[in-house]
Amino acid sequence: MIKIPRDYIIEKIKEKSGLSSQEINDKIKAKLEELSGLISEDGAAHIIANELGIKIMEAQEALSIKDIFAGMRNIELVGKVTRVFEVRTFNTPQRSGKVGSFMIADATGQTRIVAWGNQADVLSKLKEGDVVRVKSGYAKENQGKIEVNLNDNSQIIINPEGVTIGDVKTRENSQRKKISELSNNDQNVEVLGTVVQAFDPRYFEVCPTCTKRIKNQGLVFKCDAHGEIASPDYSYVMNAIIDDGSETIRTIFFRNQMQHLTNLTHDEIINRKGGSFEEIKNDLLGKIIKVIGRVSTNEMFSRIELVAQVVDSNPNASEELKRIEAEKPVAAKIEIVKPAVQKTEAPKQVEKKQVFEAPKPIPKKEISEDIIRLDDIESVDDDDDIYE
Ligand SMILES: [Zn+2]
């Protein structure tokens, strides 16, 4: 059974019939009444589409990622590889084997491709930016997201001839919020602000095979999946305080996000282990960045924190200004602006300038430099930049 959301069906009907949402909803309601108790609203939407001769699923050579729903089989799609994850081996009483995955994106969205067993070998040949054609996959839902799994009949063609992919959509639309509006468990929120404080990074040992954090057990490092690790790899995390004029928030940048934030490569960061970070921290101060992430609560300090998942350390100034203009409440546009006593609104000061300036930080009580809780790190390996 393919699960197609009703909104998607209504959109399709709208697109092909020229009816308004209201008209379509009326038809759905009428159908529900006509067949009371026999069908769901989704079912009624399907019937309306049918009656209007509109095909919801069209046979296409390759599907757009936004048109993939759980339950679909025999899927063919084409996309650009945006990330390749490590192949992992597993060993459970039920089965053992290996599994690997990678992300692909097209102009409509992004999805994860999961390869089992020998199919996972293809991952070693994949790199970011490759175009892939996936044949005969099946879609299922995993933690609220659709992913395309490969079976023995599936095929992956790397850089098929004559196929190019332009701009891709690599993340869901995030919601821009002021820091003062953030609340615990917010997901996919976007903040634009100035770095007002940056802290030294912390390094921690990870398993070279699965990149999970490993702990020192007695004299040796052990990975739950891969046993004793003679020479661990290292990963890292850095904290910074961001201020957008409404509030400040401590923001946590794991590995890839720390690379984006500092514009340093993995090797450059590793080489600085034990060395000084003063210069890099100084460079960050006053820098305007855009962060998309999720909000979590730090129990120990009873405050919320932002865990960065996408970092833009060089946001496009004119784009941001346009956006701030567009998001300004209508009332604010016609109101005569009083002399700004409180500097809480950024747009007024920057309207005519080319360069974007963030609002001046409000003086804050001193922020003590507390340590990052490494105990929270175990779960970050894949969680970190899932949208990229
Ligand atoms: Zn491991």
Side-chain angles (χ1 to χ4, degrees):
M1 174 71 188
I2 300 169
K3 240 172 70 185
I4 305 177
R6 191 179 344 133
D7 289 350
Y8 182 89
I9 302 173
I10 293 172
E11 247 344 280
K12 272 271 147 131
I13 298 175
K14 227 167 122 178
E15 196 184 296
K16 297 195 175 164
S17 67
L19 293 171
S20 69
S21 306
Q22 181 66 49
E23 288 167 319
I24 298 164
N25 278 317
D26 287 348
K27 281 182 184 292
I28 291 173
K29 223 188 261 165
K31 188 55 71 183
L32 274 171
E33 274 163 27
E34 187 189 324
L35 300 171
S36 64
L38 291 175
I39 49 166
S40 66
E41 279 189 53
D42 290 10
H46 270 287
I47 293 172
I48 297 300
N50 245 325
E51 287 179 354
L52 293 166
I54 291 164
K55 282 203 179 108
I56 301 301
M57 314 296 311
E58 277 167 300
Q60 282 169 315
E61 204 197 333
L63 286 168
S64 292
I65 289 173
K66 74 162 172 38
D67 295 332
I68 296 172
F69 301 107
M72 285 179 157
R73 314 200 143 259
N74 229 347
I75 293 170
E76 176 158 349
L77 73 161
V78 176
K80 199 183 267 181
V81 175
T82 55
R83 187 153 180 206
V84 182
F85 294 96
E86 206 86 43
V87 174
R88 293 181 184 190
T89 52
F90 57 90
N91 213 332
T92 67
Q94 289 78 35
R95 59 193 281 208
S96 65
K98 55 187 174 182
V99 59
S101 69
F102 58 97
M103 305 297 291
I104 66 170
D106 66 11
T108 68
Q110 172 165 251
T111 192
R112 188 188 284 264
I113 311 289
V114 185
W116 299 91
N118 291 337
Q119 291 276 20
D121 294 342
V122 75
L123 268 76
S124 63
K125 297 179 208 135
L126 278 183
K127 54 184 190 312
E128 281 180 27
D130 279 343
V131 171
V132 290
R133 182 183 291 277
V134 177
K135 285 185 159 182
S136 199
Y138 63 97
K140 60 183 220 177
E141 198 175 311
N142 185 9
Q143 295 180 345
K145 292 201 163 75
I146 305 295
E147 46 180 50
V148 175
N149 284 247
L150 306 181
N151 56 29
D152 290 343
N153 300 321
S154 308
Q155 231 187 318
I156 290 183
I157 302 158
I158 304 172
N159 295 320
E161 232 169 278
V163 181
T164 50
I165 296 213
D167 283 344
V168 296
K169 187 177 176 187
T170 52
R171 53 176 121 109
E172 298 158 35
N173 291 331
S174 50
Q175 193 191 358
R176 171 72 66 86
K177 283 196 175 182
K178 286 194 176 136
I179 292 172
S180 60
E181 295 166 348
L182 296 178
S183 55
N184 188 30
N185 291 329
D186 271 354
Q187 305 279 336
N188 207 20
V189 286
E190 184 183 298
V191 164
L192 180 77
T194 308
V195 177
V196 293
Q197 199 169 357
F199 301 99
D200 279 330
R202 293 282 309 264
Y203 291 80
F204 53 94
E205 290 83 6
V206 295
C207 166
T209 309
C210 66
T211 72
K212 281 219 162 89
R213 186 186 170 215
I214 49 176
K215 283 186 187 162
N216 200 334
Q217 299 186 349
L219 291 169
V220 288
F221 283 99
K222 262 191 188 153
C223 169
D224 290 341
H226 299 102
E228 280 188 23
I229 309 293
S231 53
D233 276 355
Y234 282 87
S235 192
Y236 34 82
V237 56
M238 180 172 185
N239 280 4
I241 309 285
I242 298 178
D243 188 324
D244 73 348
S246 74
E247 245 311 340
T248 64
I249 192 161
R250 179 175 289 257
T251 307
I252 301 162
F253 303 85
F254 284 108
R255 198 182 168 104
N256 295 2
Q257 302 319 323
M258 179 174 152
Q259 293 170 24
H260 298 317
L261 175 74
T262 58
N263 285 317
L264 295 174
T265 64
H266 174 74
D267 287 344
E268 286 168 339
I269 295 174
I270 289 296
N271 287 340
R272 282 172 191 270
K273 187 172 174 287
S276 166
F277 243 81
E278 287 312 309
E279 200 187 316
I280 286 156
K281 290 193 297 183
N282 271 331
D283 285 350
L284 281 172
L285 292 183
K287 203 168 178 190
I288 294 154
I289 60 169
K290 191 157 91 173
V291 174
I292 297 171
R294 61 183 167 82
V295 178
S296 75
T297 296
N298 182 326
E299 305 282 348
M300 198 194 297
F301 298 99
S302 49
R303 62 169 183 231
I304 56 166
E305 298 173 334
L306 182 63
V307 180
Q309 291 166 313
V310 178
V311 176
D312 184 351
S313 59
N314 196 10
N316 182 317
S318 57
E319 216 171 83
E320 295 307 331
L321 286 177
K322 252 189 264 163
R323 191 157 168 188
I324 289 168
E325 265 316 306
E327 282 170 11
K328 245 190 217 172
V330 179
K333 283 182 184 162
I334 30 177
E335 232 172 56
I336 298 159
V337 181
K338 293 180 201 140
V341 181
Q342 277 181 297
K343 288 188 179 178
T344 47
E345 293 275 21
K348 283 173 202 112
Q349 321 165 16
V350 291
E351 260 158 6
K352 296 244 155 54
K353 284 193 192 165
Q354 286 286 49
V355 182
F356 181 81
E357 282 173 28
K360 290 268 183 315
I362 303 169
K364 281 277 134 54
K365 51 194 175 306
E366 211 174 295
I367 300 150
S368 63
E369 177 156 4
D370 47 75
I371 54 161
I372 297 161
R373 299 148 302 144
L374 288 182
D375 284 342
D376 285 352
I377 287 169
E378 325 238 21
S379 59
V380 302
D381 51 340
D382 279 3
D383 183 30
D384 155 49
D385 79 4
I386 45 174
Y387 297 120
E388 285 200 329

